[in-house]
Amino acid sequence: EEGEIERAYAGKDGKVVRLGFGDPDSVEGGDWVYNNILIGGKKSQVLFTVEYGKIKSVRVVAVKLNE
């Protein structure tokens, strides 16, 4: 199910993500990876797939509490 963050950033310019979140924690291929983003009260990893400077897709990965 698509959530608020996916709707808010999909199709936007990559600069919008950098303004909101700063530089990514890492870059893996075409994905900008941000760790420890609080979503729905849980720390999550957010991956923004970037193509030609635009956000193609957004994935949120919940992080287990014991990690």
Side-chain angles (χ1 to χ4, degrees), residues 7-30:
R7 286 191 301 272
Y9 289 97
K12 296 285 196 309
D13 194 294
K15 292 176 190 169
V16 174
V17 172
R18 287 186 184 258
L19 280 172
F21 294 95
D23 290 332
D25 293 308
S26 64
V27 177
E28 299 174 10

Side-chain angles (χ1 to χ4, degrees), residues 3-6 21 34 36-48 58-62:
E4 187 176 330
I5 195 166
E6 291 91 346
F21 294 95
Y34 291 84
N36 298 317
I37 304 297
L38 203 58
I39 298 175
K42 296 178 183 173
K43 284 187 178 179
S44 301
Q45 182 181 64
V46 182
L47 296 91
F48 294 92
V58 182
R59 293 187 313 282
V60 176
V61 181

